[in-house]
Amino acid sequence: MSRIGKKPIDIPAGVTVTIDRNTVSVTGPKGKLEQEIHYKAVVTVDGNVVNVDRKDETKISRSVHGLTRTLISNMVTGVTQGYVKKLDIVGVGYRVAQKGADLDLSLGFSHPVVFAPPAGIELKAESQTKIAVSGIDKQLVGQVAANIRKLRAPEPYKGKGIRYEGEYILRKAGKTGKK
């Protein structure tokens, strides 16, 4: 039995979980999320607890069991607390400015890069070198943060670029001088 899959998910006050065939909907104070679940997973709501079981003991059922439980748990956390990913900008002349909901990034190109957030995501320039990506969908927050990082990924020689907060960049030694 999956150790993660067999844990029950507690539903906090103000959150409702509804199941319609193979779709789980979670509504809370921050919004509403929906997730299609695999047909081999069985989701039940008992009062303030969500339980995830599997239909049989096939390999696909066992692999989907823990995944389904984690996805539902992430939805409950998202509609109550939300998720935040922070990014740091490192490099001389690299900076970010807020323009309405969009970010205006100066990343050493000949032109500024304007990044518009998708629906459900809030971008905030906390300073000239810090960005916060927040939202209720964990997957979408991580994907948007990865897309921003991809605009100028950290390079291995000086470490310049956009990196996650606390990310360690493995640095290479540059060319040595004469022999």
Side-chain angles (χ1 to χ4, degrees):
M1 193 69 152
S2 169
R3 282 184 272 170
I4 293 173
K6 67 183 177 184
K7 285 184 182 177
I9 304 165
D10 294 326
I11 303 173
V15 176
T16 58
V17 177
T18 56
I19 302 164
D20 181 36
R21 293 186 189 161
N22 65 342
T23 304
V24 175
S25 300
V26 180
T27 308
K30 291 196 175 248
K32 180 179 180 182
L33 290 173
E34 289 186 354
Q35 177 72 42
E36 275 193 36
I37 57 171
H38 197 273
Y39 70 94
K40 294 273 189 175
V42 178
V43 180
T44 56
V45 178
D46 302 324
N48 287 354
V49 176
V50 177
N51 291 312
V52 180
D53 293 316
R54 48 183 117 150
K55 286 189 177 179
D56 50 33
E57 291 297 319
T58 60
K59 185 175 181 178
I60 189 74
S61 293
R62 291 192 315 262
S63 65
V64 165
H65 187 200
L67 171 71
T68 304
R69 189 253 178 223
T70 303
L71 289 174
I72 296 170
S73 176
N74 288 344
M75 291 192 315
V76 170
T77 304
V79 297
T80 54
Q81 301 167 4
Y83 290 99
V84 177
K85 278 265 195 190
K86 297 192 180 224
L87 300 165
D88 292 332
I89 300 175
V90 178
V92 177
Y94 290 10
R95 62 181 55 98
V96 64
Q98 189 89 37
K99 282 198 175 175
D102 300 346
L103 291 180
D104 188 22
L105 298 146
S106 298
L107 299 173
F109 299 121
S110 61
H111 54 82
V113 178
V114 178
F115 190 87
I121 294 294
E122 181 184 332
L123 299 176
K124 183 178 178 193
E126 294 179 337
S127 70
Q128 285 190 342
T129 59
K130 297 205 180 290
I131 301 170
V133 181
S134 58
I136 62 173
D137 187 354
K138 186 175 186 177
Q139 187 272 331
L140 188 59
V141 169
Q143 186 63 53
V144 170
N147 289 344
I148 293 173
R149 183 182 183 275
K150 196 170 23 171
L151 293 173
R152 181 67 95 172
E155 53 95 12
Y157 295 102
K158 292 184 179 180
K160 299 186 332 180
I162 302 174
R163 63 176 78 166
Y164 298 114
E165 187 176 63
E167 180 182 8
Y168 178 75
I169 306 299
L170 188 62
R171 304 284 288 276
K172 291 183 178 180
K175 293 182 180 179
T176 57
K178 298 178 183 177
K179 289 187 177 181

